[in-house]
Amino acid sequence: MEKKINLTVDKTENELRVDIFIKKRGDIISRTRIKNLILDNKLKINNKIITDPSKKIFFNDEIKLVIPEPKKASLKPYEFNLDIVYEDKDLIVLNKPSGIVMHPGAGNFDNTIVNALMNYSKNSFSNMGGELRPGIVHRIDKNTSGLVVIAKNNQTHEHLSNQFNQHTIQRVYQLLIWGKIRPSKGKIETFITRSSKNRQMMEVSNSKGKKAITNYKTLEIFENENIPTFSLLECQLETGRTHQIRVHMNYLGNSIVGDDKYKKKFKKLKDIEPSLEKILTKLNRQFLHAKTLGFIHPRKNKQMIFNSILPNELEKILKTLRNMGK
């Protein structure tokens, strides 16, 4: 059923952003949901449609936001073997393999995690994210593997979205980079914005974009006369910006192995061990894996933490590097 929010701005709320104002007053839907509704022409300020979530509001402004009844998904089911780590009546935790995108988009409307979820259980997911994203609370890149949480109902979706917005979700990634980072552990804190040269990429900015914080530590360093230097890292995110870890590693000059978007594709190196070269040139993904996912369960109100192991193709690279170091 469609809902309408009608609000009037008080003196104490003068010059607030409209999305913050609505969230502060209503507190019934997430700020991300509010932003998406504004972008979808569902907001009026003084009877004029506004599509800018950052629009400033002023004393006595009349704010009207329409929350339409969510559409039911009409997606083609995709027969795909989902690796379900945990499931209850509120949510599913999936271990996503590399090579599959989370939801339908330009060029791919049928072979996605969402389509696979429709095949698994058509009517059991939240519909807050819109017709093409039932259940999707957050995403990881197509060529990244690891843990994601799927919401089965709108209450769960809202609760989890708020945890993401408040940066209380625990997310730990493992990655292999070229070279080594000094210091061996630390915090990367920058702004990330869309690239001015390639709209499909992101970049670090000194002033514009969204704040991005990545905590990293070095787990292992691999270097000898037969191989270039590699480092196995663990990154814990405080924020969840698009391509955040990939952009931050590239910013430091230590791109992720296998990342063909934020680093030139692997080229033959002199004096490299042939077996390692063969494995690296065949790697059709970035060495980036969402290892740990932790959150407060919306219904049980208790902390839940899930872990997953590296997929075989990544573990094989580590095994080869460790054997070369003996």
Side-chain angles (χ1 to χ4, degrees):
M1 183 177 178
E2 183 178 278
K3 295 181 182 179
K4 294 181 180 180
I5 296 177
N6 297 300
L7 302 168
T8 302
V9 180
D10 291 337
K11 286 183 179 180
T12 58
E13 298 162 323
N14 199 48
E15 294 193 41
L16 279 178
R17 284 174 53 127
V18 66
D19 57 346
I20 294 175
F21 165 76
I22 296 171
K23 173 63 179 170
K24 175 175 172 285
R25 278 289 201 96
D27 202 29
I28 58 172
I29 58 174
S30 69
R31 189 170 157 193
T32 299
R33 176 70 167 143
I34 294 168
K35 176 183 175 182
N36 289 336
L37 289 171
I38 294 172
L39 294 173
D40 197 29
N41 299 315
K42 302 301 181 185
L43 172 72
K44 286 185 179 180
I45 299 180
N46 300 325
N47 286 320
K48 181 180 178 181
I49 292 176
I50 301 296
T51 58
D52 180 8
S54 65
K55 175 76 173 177
K56 295 288 182 66
I57 46 101
F58 299 93
F59 175 52
N60 272 341
D61 277 352
E62 296 293 329
I63 312 298
K64 297 180 180 180
L65 182 70
V66 175
I67 307 174
E69 183 176 2
K71 297 178 182 178
K72 293 184 178 180
S74 56
L75 296 160
K76 182 180 178 181
Y78 173 41
E79 192 170 335
F80 183 83
N81 186 24
L82 293 170
D83 182 5
I84 297 176
V85 177
Y86 174 84
E87 180 177 12
D88 61 25
K89 63 183 179 181
D90 296 304
L91 54 87
I92 292 176
V93 176
L94 290 177
N95 189 22
K96 185 190 90 67
S98 170
I100 184 170
V101 295
M102 290 294 298
H103 57 74
N108 184 0
F109 286 93
D110 299 325
N111 302 327
T112 76
I113 289 293
V114 161
N115 298 98
L117 288 168
M118 292 300 98
N119 183 67
Y120 178 72
S121 181
K122 186 175 182 180
N123 298 312
S124 298
F125 302 100
S126 69
N127 48 21
M128 285 180 48
E131 188 175 5
L132 297 180
R133 303 185 185 186
I136 302 300
V137 182
H138 65 123
R139 297 174 291 174
I140 58 177
D141 297 335
K142 175 182 178 180
N143 290 328
T144 298
S145 55
L147 299 172
V148 291
V149 60
I150 308 296
K152 287 188 171 184
N153 53 67
N154 290 350
Q155 183 179 3
T156 296
H157 196 133
E158 279 287 351
H159 199 291
L160 291 170
S161 291
N162 284 329
Q163 291 183 61
F164 275 98
N165 291 334
Q166 294 163 12
H167 310 309
T168 57
I169 296 282
Q170 183 180 353
R171 284 170 292 169
V172 180
Y173 288 74
Q174 279 193 346
L175 54 148
L176 188 70
I177 61 167
W178 298 87
K180 53 188 173 184
I181 295 180
R182 291 290 181 263
S184 61
K185 65 178 180 178
K187 176 183 287 191
I188 309 165
E189 188 169 351
T190 71
F191 290 97
I192 287 180
T193 188
R194 195 161 295 280
S195 171
S196 57
K197 297 179 181 179
N198 184 341
R199 301 302 292 172
Q200 293 183 342
M201 296 177 67
M202 310 299 287
E203 64 185 11
V204 165
S205 169
N206 291 327
S207 57
K208 62 180 181 178
K210 296 181 179 179
K211 181 176 284 189
I213 303 174
T214 303
N215 297 285
Y216 72 89
K217 65 178 178 180
T218 303
L219 301 179
E220 290 183 72
I221 295 175
F222 309 95
E223 57 182 349
N224 61 44
E225 66 276 8
N226 293 322
I227 61 172
T229 300
F230 298 96
S231 297
L232 179 66
L233 302 188
E234 188 171 274
C235 286
Q236 183 157 351
L237 300 184
E238 289 189 32
T239 57
R241 308 307 176 202
T242 302
H243 301 169
Q244 178 172 320
I245 295 176
R246 299 166 67 188
V247 172
H248 272 167
M249 291 300 110
N250 189 57
Y251 170 67
L252 294 181
N254 300 89
S255 299
I256 298 172
V257 170
D259 191 340
D260 61 359
K261 182 169 282 191
Y262 290 94
K263 180 190 178 299
K264 292 180 180 179
K265 290 186 178 181
F266 178 80
K267 61 182 181 180
K268 188 171 182 178
L269 299 175
K270 293 182 179 180
D271 302 322
I272 187 172
E273 170 64 37
S275 61
L276 177 61
E277 182 180 359
K278 183 178 180 181
I279 294 173
L280 292 178
T281 53
K282 285 187 175 182
L283 186 65
N284 59 358
R285 57 162 298 177
Q286 57 257 9
F287 196 123
L288 181 62
H289 179 71
K291 173 192 172 185
T292 302
L293 180 65
F295 52 85
I296 301 297
H297 192 286
R299 189 183 302 270
K300 298 178 181 179
N301 197 31
K302 70 175 185 179
Q303 179 78 25
M304 303 189 76
I305 299 177
F306 302 92
N307 290 286
S308 64
I309 61 174
L310 284 173
N312 290 335
E313 69 270 21
L314 302 187
E315 190 59 48
K316 186 176 180 180
I317 293 174
L318 286 186
K319 185 178 179 179
T320 301
L321 289 171
R322 286 165 179 152
N323 288 336
M324 288 179 177
K326 291 181 180 178

